[in-house]
Amino acid sequence: MAPAMIPGHREGPLVNTAEAVYEVMGFNDPPITPTATNHLNAALAAGVSGIGTGTTPCRESHAVTESCDIEPFYRGIQKIILLALAIAEVN
């Protein structure tokens, strides 16, 4: 499947919220792009808003030899929890 994109999604509330969470947590220059080339393609192609965010740096993605760093994983999980709370507008 080719990369999918929703016009205007990059400037929408979901992406803006995710970007704010990244900034609050001190993630510098997160790789935010207007297209998806992973499991989000089907959702975006159907017009459903979505984002993809990792939890830790990995190498050789989707290969049998894929490996990921463990220590940053904890901060990545904190990011996911904060993102979920921000999206749900929980204070």
Side-chain angles (χ1 to χ4, degrees), residues 2 4 11-12 14 19 26-27 29-32 36 38-39 45 49 53 57 61-62 67 74 78-79 85 89:
E11 294 79 25
L14 178 60
E19 195 168 25
F27 289 95
D29 298 319
I32 298 174
N38 56 24
H39 58 283
S49 183
T53 180
S61 296
H62 310 291
S67 63
Y74 302 107
Q78 290 172 336
K79 177 186 69 178
L85 293 173
E89 297 180 2

Side-chain angles (χ1 to χ4, degrees), residues 35-62:
T35 61
T37 58
N38 56 24
H39 58 283
L40 288 173
N41 277 336
L44 293 175
V48 176
S49 183
I51 60 169
T53 180
T55 54
T56 190
C58 295
R59 291 155 299 285
E60 300 184 42
S61 296
H62 310 291

